[in-house]
Amino acid sequence: MRQQHKKVLILALPETAGSALYGMVDVLMATGNIWQTLVGDPIPYQPFDVQIVSVDSAPFHCGHGIPVEPAYAITDNPAADILILPEIWLGPHEDIGGRYEALMDWIKLRFRSGTTIYSACSGSVLLAESGLLDNCAATSHWGYQELFRTHYPRVHFRPETNLVYAHPDGRLVTAGGTTSWHDLALHIIARYVGIGEALRIAKVYLLKWHGEGQLPFTGLVRQTRHADSAVRKCEEWLKMHWRDPRAIALLVEASPLPERTLKRRFKTATGSSMIEYLQNLRIEAAKRALEHGRLSVEEVSLEAGYEDVHFFRRLFKRLTGLTPGEYRRLFRPLVEELADLSEA
């Protein structure tokens, strides 16, 4: 006997990414029937009833001018088993505080009413703004680390993983980067319909589970907004001298500030210690060498400023989630394929 379908609401806003919105609608609506149709199963079924909800019910255009016609407004307070907050177009330092106060109240109401809430990518910023993620672990796109550190310090941000349970009974789940809605859709299907059907959907749509998490894709060197000119000069100096084995010592010697003061201000302004910042620069350079070059791991280690290859391997694994060899096998084929296509 087929189980009763689950009512799913997907939130759409003017900032919503249309690909994530309609991709999630398409995959969930195809669950239980697209594979069955392709292979001739005589009993297709519809486990999810999927509708779009927005702040009001008037048609509008979301990101990149894609049209949206909501089935419900939040003032209708439609019941739902599942609420999904997909990716929104949001700058890495953009503050949405006060932008959607009524929506925040409605999200909290739905949670109190028993709805399970999922977010994909920057959709977790909406959850954080609602306060539901306070004192909880959560993830989002790795590019929002600074935003969470600045605006939502009570959220335990975990950029390394691609799916995080923020609530002990699984009623708040956040997913990581832009195409993490693939993982989220498969998770929802497996949870409510079954692992077998999730696997069938993955095969139909060629969806890949990102078991490696986000760390291999994370840019380790990012420009942090701050007003400390002395620290900014230190950042620029390190970007030019990261290969020097005495980079930190030379920087401290050249600075007019006392060492402890300099290191404290650097950490406050950038969110990283000076040694962490230097390691990020070196490992980012190593990543480029592994992607584009054919140097051995030992040679890449030396190029990155590390004579001890064992230390380099451990540091690389800690910052990227992969060994240097695994990283090369993940990205080098893509670089070569794209290069071949560009020359064709």
Side-chain angles (χ1 to χ4, degrees), residues 29-330:
M29 290 295 287
T31 300
N33 54 81
I34 190 168
W35 174 274
Q36 291 74 5
T37 300
L38 288 171
V39 302
D41 187 324
I43 314 177
Y45 61 108
Q46 193 82 50
F48 298 114
D49 174 17
V50 184
Q51 302 290 343
I52 295 175
V53 65
S54 190
V55 174
D56 60 54
S57 57
F60 65 95
H61 290 82
C62 68
H64 294 159
I66 298 173
V68 180
E69 293 189 15
Y72 301 105
I74 59 174
T75 51
D76 299 328
N77 196 24
D81 300 295
I82 297 167
L83 171 63
I84 300 172
L85 313 179
E87 174 193 2
I88 57 176
W89 293 109
L90 193 68
H93 303 285
E94 192 172 344
D95 181 10
I96 65 166
R99 188 182 301 183
Y100 289 113
E101 292 182 357
L103 175 61
M104 297 301 108
D105 292 337
W106 181 75
I107 290 173
K108 288 184 284 189
L109 173 62
R110 288 269 34 98
F111 184 70
R112 290 196 301 269
S113 301
T115 298
T116 298
I117 303 178
Y118 299 89
S119 70
C121 192
S122 48
S124 63
V125 177
L126 295 172
L127 270 182
E129 181 64 21
S130 76
L132 288 175
L133 293 181
D134 284 358
N135 303 311
C136 296
T139 192
S140 184
H141 192 285
W142 54 262
Y144 294 107
Q145 291 183 68
E146 182 65 19
L147 186 147
F148 272 82
R149 185 175 76 93
T150 303
H151 296 291
Y152 308 110
R154 298 181 67 183
V155 178
H156 307 312
F157 190 71
R158 294 180 56 193
E160 73 280 1
T161 188
N162 208 41
L163 208 66
V164 174
Y165 279 72
H167 198 266
D169 63 3
R171 288 188 50 231
L172 282 177
V173 181
T174 59
T178 304
T179 57
S180 65
W181 71 263
H182 298 179
D183 304 63
L184 189 59
L186 293 176
H187 167 77
I188 291 170
I189 295 166
R191 183 174 183 180
Y192 295 98
V193 184
I195 294 173
E197 183 59 19
L199 183 58
R200 287 188 282 272
I201 286 293
K203 290 178 178 179
V204 171
Y205 284 92
L206 277 66
L207 300 181
K208 175 185 177 293
W209 184 265
H210 296 90
E212 67 276 359
Q214 293 195 90
L215 282 182
F217 305 90
T218 301
L220 297 176
V221 180
R222 295 182 296 278
Q223 192 74 19
T224 304
R225 287 186 176 181
H226 61 79
D228 194 323
S229 60
V231 171
R232 184 69 69 202
K233 290 178 181 178
C234 291
E235 291 179 87
E236 295 304 319
W237 192 93
L238 286 172
K239 287 176 182 177
M240 292 188 293
H241 300 89
W242 56 267
R243 282 191 176 88
D244 195 307
R246 297 187 63 246
I248 298 296
L250 292 173
L251 178 58
V252 169
E253 290 173 9
S255 174
L257 297 173
E259 180 175 352
R260 291 183 62 182
T261 301
L262 177 63
K263 290 182 175 180
R264 175 179 53 79
R265 284 174 55 173
F266 194 97
K267 174 76 172 180
T268 300
T270 67
S272 302
S273 67
M274 293 175 71
I275 188 62
E276 289 170 341
Y277 192 91
L278 178 62
Q279 288 173 342
N280 286 341
L281 288 168
R282 288 175 169 176
I283 297 302
E284 197 64 48
K287 287 161 62 177
R288 300 291 84 77
L290 292 166
E291 292 164 3
H292 297 276
R294 298 190 179 277
L295 297 176
S296 68
V297 173
E298 290 75 12
E299 289 170 321
V300 171
S301 177
L302 286 172
E303 285 289 314
Y306 295 109
E307 294 184 3
D308 185 342
V309 69
H310 299 293
F311 176 81
F312 168 73
R313 289 179 186 273
R314 291 194 301 271
L315 179 63
F316 193 95
K317 178 70 179 286
R318 177 164 63 83
L319 294 183
T320 70
L322 300 175
T323 66
E326 290 169 338
Y327 185 90
R328 171 173 271 161
R329 287 191 292 273
L330 179 64

Side-chain angles (χ1 to χ4, degrees), residues 22-33:
Y22 287 115
M24 187 70 79
V25 170
D26 189 38
V27 167
L28 293 181
M29 290 295 287
T31 300
N33 54 81

